Amino acid sequence: RYVALTEGTLGSEQGPTTEDVVKHSIGKVWVEDHHEWACDISGNETAAFIRPGGDSCSFVPETCREAITSYRAVDWKSIKTGKDAINVTRLELTPHTGRGHQLRLHMASIGHPIVGDDMHGTAAAVRNDAESVISIPGDGSRLCLHASKLSMDAWCASADETSDGFQICRVDVESCPPF
């Protein structure tokens, strides 16, 4: 599970918690002299989304793969960006597939890029001062995406004292986001 701050208000502060799923395949596109990850917003590999307002480009053949992300809006705030303020939504994101830039592309493709995303979003720098409602670590220009819970299977010593072998056990690691 990941936590992210996304630009704009997703859902409603007065309404129930907003939950939804984004299902856009992700593949590679050729841009100038290099490949970039893009999201298939058309569903038939004809419209590659890289960033808001970006040029249309074609997918490299046979690179699109299914990508699914579920999200849940949990909080809404206003943060300073230079002289202005922007509304942000705190989301819990769960990737059901593991594609390059999946969370960043999926959030940007629905019009809510992750704060600080200079590749797939608007990269609005956040001002950290006494007037800010929310604090972003460092100079405020970091990507506001944080792995809050990771789970994996690992080999561990058997708890059974009569056995000197190993068994597979589930390891869960949790971490609070710094924003």
Side-chain angles (χ1 to χ4, degrees), residues 75-106:
D75 196 14
W76 299 265
K77 301 256 190 249
S78 179
I79 58 176
K80 299 284 184 180
T81 59
K83 295 178 185 175
D84 302 319
I86 62 169
N87 292 325
V88 296
T89 303
R90 180 184 300 267
L91 297 177
E92 288 181 354
L93 302 170
T94 304
H96 299 282
T97 52
R99 309 292 175 243
H101 295 232
Q102 177 176 326
L103 301 176
R104 297 165 68 179
L105 279 165
H106 278 173

Side-chain angles (χ1 to χ4, degrees), residues 27-39:
K28 290 181 181 177
V29 294
W30 184 255
V31 179
E32 295 174 11
D33 61 349
H34 63 282
H35 284 109
E36 289 191 23
W37 292 107
C39 176

Side-chain angles (χ1 to χ4, degrees), residues 6-172:
T6 59
E7 295 180 22
T9 303
L10 192 59
S12 170
E13 295 177 28
Q14 288 76 33
T17 302
T18 301
E19 295 185 43
D20 208 345
V21 175
V22 181
K23 295 179 181 179
H24 294 308
S25 294
I26 293 177
K28 290 181 181 177
V29 294
W30 184 255
V31 179
E32 295 174 11
D33 61 349
H34 63 282
H35 284 109
E36 289 191 23
W37 292 107
C39 176
D40 178 18
I41 57 174
S42 67
N44 59 10
E45 299 183 22
T46 60
F49 175 89
I50 301 173
R51 64 188 57 81
D55 294 333
S56 179
C57 44
S58 301
F59 283 99
V60 173
E62 301 179 26
T63 62
C64 279
R65 294 174 59 197
E66 178 184 51
I68 301 170
T69 301
S70 58
Y71 65 87
R72 184 169 76 95
V74 294
D75 196 14
W76 299 265
K77 301 256 190 249
S78 179
I79 58 176
K80 299 284 184 180
T81 59
K83 295 178 185 175
D84 302 319
I86 62 169
N87 292 325
V88 296
T89 303
R90 180 184 300 267
L91 297 177
E92 288 181 354
L93 302 170
T94 304
H96 299 282
T97 52
R99 309 292 175 243
H101 295 232
Q102 177 176 326
L103 301 176
R104 297 165 68 179
L105 279 165
H106 278 173
M107 292 302 97
S109 74
I110 63 169
H112 297 278
I114 296 173
V115 172
D117 189 349
D118 62 353
M119 185 174 292
H120 304 294
T122 59
V126 177
R127 204 174 80 202
N128 283 324
D129 60 23
E131 297 177 35
S132 292
V133 177
I134 194 165
S135 178
I136 308 297
D139 65 2
S141 62
R142 77 179 294 254
L143 179 67
C144 293
L145 176 63
H146 180 79
S148 62
K149 182 177 182 181
L150 300 174
S151 297
M152 67 192 113
D153 290 329
W155 288 101
C156 57
S158 177
D160 181 5
E161 293 179 11
T162 61
S163 172
D164 58 339
F166 288 89
Q167 66 185 24
I168 294 179
C169 58
R170 190 74 171 168
V171 177
D172 294 320

